[in-house]
């Protein structure tokens, strides 16, 4: 579960979630019903409503988890690649530097990549 158990859909959290999904390009890969649910909840909250239904909260939580799962893997992959590159080069890096190294590796064309040496082989 990517989100905490106490997820409360607010206008700010749902708007941020939708903008993140649009920015990452996963909004239109979602189920149309899920998109409509988020849009309807945002409109309802903009007009001063309050989401109290446990079923609606659970449905919005499921959509939020789906969006987070669709937008997060690149960062996780980039961190793992960055840490492998740092180990191969024998340098110590923090999490953000590892992510930066991983993203640089992912964005480098295949023509210019050298294989990552794996320690222990």
């Amino acid at each position: 579960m990517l989100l905490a158990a106490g997820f409360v859909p607010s206008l700010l959290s749902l708007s941020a979630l939708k903008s993140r999904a649009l920015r990452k390009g996963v909004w239109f890969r979602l189920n149309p019903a899920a998109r409509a649910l988020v849009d309807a909840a945002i409109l309802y909250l903009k007009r001063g409503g309050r989401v109290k239904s446990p079923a609606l909260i659970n449905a919005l939580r499921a959509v939020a988890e789906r969006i987070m799962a669709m937008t997060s893997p690149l960062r996780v992959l980039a961190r793992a690649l960055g840490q492998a590159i740092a180990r191969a080069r024998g340098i110590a890096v923090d999490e953000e530097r590892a992510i930066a190294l991983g993203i640089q590796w992912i964005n480098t064309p295949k023509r210019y990549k050298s294989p990552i040496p794996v320690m222990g082989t």
Side-chain angles (χ1 to χ4, degrees):
M1 180 179 267
L2 294 171
L3 297 175
F7 174 74
V8 178
S10 65
L11 180 60
L12 182 65
S13 67
L14 290 175
S15 298
L17 191 69
K18 181 179 177 181
S19 67
R20 178 182 176 139
L22 284 167
R23 226 180 16 251
K24 298 285 185 170
V26 299
W27 180 251
F28 294 104
R29 284 192 267 159
L30 282 175
N31 183 358
R35 293 194 313 251
L37 180 68
V38 171
D39 285 337
I42 289 172
L43 284 174
Y44 180 71
L45 291 169
K46 276 184 182 177
R47 296 179 191 275
R50 191 169 140 216
V51 178
K52 295 187 255 180
S53 168
L56 181 57
I57 291 172
N58 287 336
L60 288 170
R61 182 182 299 133
V63 172
E65 287 177 359
R66 176 91 172 125
I67 290 172
M68 294 300 289
M70 291 173 77
T71 60
S72 294
L74 179 63
R75 186 174 177 91
V76 173
L77 175 64
R79 185 178 64 220
L81 279 172
Q83 289 172 346
I85 292 169
R87 273 194 311 268
R89 292 182 182 169
I91 56 175
V93 293
D94 61 345
E95 183 177 344
E96 291 301 315
R97 179 68 178 150
I99 291 171
L101 281 172
I103 290 175
Q104 288 172 358
W105 176 263
I106 290 170
N107 288 332
T108 302
K110 289 181 182 178
R111 167 184 297 177
Y112 301 110
K113 286 184 183 177
S114 61
I116 301 173
V118 179
M119 300 295 279
T121 58

